Amino acid sequence: MTAPNPFTPTFGKVPAVLAGRDLLLQEVETALRNGGGDPNLCSLFSGPRGVGKTVLLAYLAARSSEFGWVAANVTARPGMLEDIIERATDAADELVSSRVGARLTSLSIPALFGASWEYRDPEKGNWRTRMTRLLGTLENHGLGLLITIDEVDPSLEELIDFAATYQHFVRENRKVALFMAGLPANVSTLLSDKSASFLRRAAQHQLGRIDDYDVRIAFRETVEDAGKTIEDAALDRAVAATDGFAYMMQLVGFRTWAASGERACIVDEDASQGAARAREDFISGVVRKTCQDLSEGDLAFLEAMLPDVDEPSSMTDIAQRMGKTTNYARVYRSRLVEQGLITPAGRGYVRFDMPLICDYLLED
Ligand SMILES: Nc1ncnc2c1ncn2[C@@H]1O[C@H](COP(=O)(O)OP(=O)(O)OP(=O)(O)O)[C@@H](O)[C@H]1O
Ligand SMILES: [Mg+2]
């Protein structure tokens, strides 16, 4: 019988092995361990689609309980504030009952948070009042509250209200932490909102490409932990096809593993088939959606890079091909760099940063 496929090409799914995030995790986990005034306790993660933002939030939230945090994980959408209270009380119950110990049956554990309408009932005070009470009760148990907010949406009023209230908790020295994640354009719009100005002091983490070296280690480990081996040539090919992109690594891995069938060793031919299939999945899952979000000017800029194929493009050429001034082109350059689609390549040059975006535009 063959072992189940260990790769996870599903959005939001924490992979068996997290590639290339060691330093970042260390930094943020240190903050969770130490608490207090560490700037990483208020962290903003941004990066393009499929780079691993949701996974990072989920991973950190799961780790945080070890350091005495209850995690409330929500998405920025209407109802978010109430959802924070619901998620926090549920998570607190779970953590407290697990600490009380397995020797007690769940029935004999006092329902501490979830059953108490003190926090959940809007009649018992406004959101800030109820949160303050909840934070106080958590503190009595030696616990802090970590709030994670995914898919930051700067047009959501509740998010702006949240930010305004959250800073009171910080000022009052409550044991709180906040991790938010979103697409770069959304995060930067949120930061420019004047009511959310305290967020500008948050630690900002841009998630981007993972080094080939790290992809290689994580790929091999994922395969071997699941009971197969992989030839060097196959590993080389898988790493090249991944091109530093988290979601791509899972797609290539998943397809390559499947291609190897019942065999215990993954060979080059499997990786070659896997890479070809993964390419199509990546284009339909990430590249197409990313391009749909772009403005006409953004697209015109990217198209002006196409004649250079795999070489970096000079800003002068790009502006000329767009029929615009270099200053005009520069505006789009910074937008696209921020979105993780292109990257500076020496003075006056840029190149594509997201895998396959060039191929997709060429095919279009
Ligand atoms: N560090 C990592 N190493 C390996 N695989 C990863 C890593 N981070 C994420 N992944 C994988 O990449 C895929 C995308 O991750 P995730 O859903 O977190 O992306 P995202 O940045 O939230 O995307 P979106 O902007 O579309 O919400 C998932 O299949 C996940 O398993
Ligand atoms: Mg996500």
Side-chain angles (χ1 to χ4, degrees), residues 79-121:
M80 182 192 107
L81 292 179
E82 287 309 318
D83 204 25
I84 290 175
I85 294 193
E86 300 277 324
R87 300 283 78 78
T89 49
D90 284 356
D93 277 347
E94 206 172 296
L95 188 65
V96 172
S97 45
S98 74
R99 282 187 170 186
V100 169
R103 67 202 156 77
L104 297 170
T105 68
S106 59
L107 280 177
S108 63
I109 298 164
L112 278 160
F113 301 93
S116 168
W117 289 101
E118 233 186 312
Y119 317 114
R120 295 191 172 193
D121 187 355

Side-chain angles (χ1 to χ4, degrees), residues 13-151:
K13 181 121 183 134
V14 178
V17 183
L18 271 177
R21 303 279 186 240
D22 289 359
L23 282 178
L24 177 59
L25 290 174
Q26 237 173 44
E27 199 178 304
V28 181
E29 284 178 12
T30 303
L32 288 171
R33 188 175 299 117
N34 298 341
D38 194 311
N40 282 303
L41 285 181
C42 183
S43 279
L44 282 167
F45 303 96
S46 64
R49 284 183 193 282
V51 82
K53 301 177 291 297
T54 302
V55 157
L56 202 68
L57 290 184
Y59 182 86
L60 287 168
R63 291 278 295 157
S64 71
S65 64
E66 244 176 74
F67 310 116
W69 297 87
V70 160
N73 306 318
V74 305
T75 300
R77 59 167 165 247
M80 182 192 107
L81 292 179
E82 287 309 318
D83 204 25
I84 290 175
I85 294 193
E86 300 277 324
R87 300 283 78 78
T89 49
D90 284 356
D93 277 347
E94 206 172 296
L95 188 65
V96 172
S97 45
S98 74
R99 282 187 170 186
V100 169
R103 67 202 156 77
L104 297 170
T105 68
S106 59
L107 280 177
S108 63
I109 298 164
L112 278 160
F113 301 93
S116 168
W117 289 101
E118 233 186 312
Y119 317 114
R120 295 191 172 193
D121 187 355
E123 304 224 322
K124 300 286 182 199
N126 68 14
W127 189 77
R128 181 172 166 193
T129 308
R130 287 181 286 138
M131 278 295 285
T132 304
R133 250 182 241 147
L134 177 57
L135 290 171
T137 315
L138 286 174
E139 259 166 61
N140 292 339
H141 287 80
L143 298 169
L145 179 65
L146 161 67
I147 300 171
T148 76
I149 305 179
D150 200 4
E151 291 174 31

Side-chain angles (χ1 to χ4, degrees), residues 252-308:
V252 172
F254 190 84
R255 295 299 202 170
T256 299
W257 180 283
S260 70
E262 307 276 317
R263 268 178 287 110
C265 178
I266 295 176
V267 298
D268 195 19
E269 174 54 27
D270 301 329
S272 150
Q273 264 188 44
R277 299 216 173 108
R279 181 181 187 281
E280 286 158 34
D281 297 338
F282 190 76
I283 288 183
S284 61
V286 171
V287 178
R288 185 169 300 139
K289 285 201 193 94
T290 301
C291 288
Q292 279 163 358
D293 289 343
L294 296 177
S295 72
E296 270 178 36
D298 292 331
L299 277 174
F301 187 104
L302 294 178
E303 272 157 14
M305 289 171 66
L306 294 180
D308 303 312

Side-chain angles (χ1 to χ4, degrees), residues 194-212:
K194 62 179 183 318
S195 338
S197 62
F198 101 98
L199 288 176
R200 274 174 236 150
R201 292 192 294 273
Q204 291 195 44
H205 306 278
Q206 268 117 20
L207 302 182
R209 303 174 80 82
I210 303 169
D211 283 345
D212 284 355

Side-chain angles (χ1 to χ4, degrees), residues 156-193:
L156 184 72
E157 237 167 80
E158 251 175 275
L159 185 58
I160 309 289
D161 291 348
F162 168 83
T165 307
Y166 182 82
Q167 57 176 323
H168 290 291
F169 300 149
V170 173
R171 267 192 231 142
E172 293 158 6
N173 278 324
R174 298 272 167 200
K175 193 174 174 201
V176 282
L178 172 63
F179 298 163
M180 302 211 269
L183 296 171
N186 290 341
V187 169
S188 70
T189 310
L190 177 70
L191 290 178
S192 62
D193 192 295

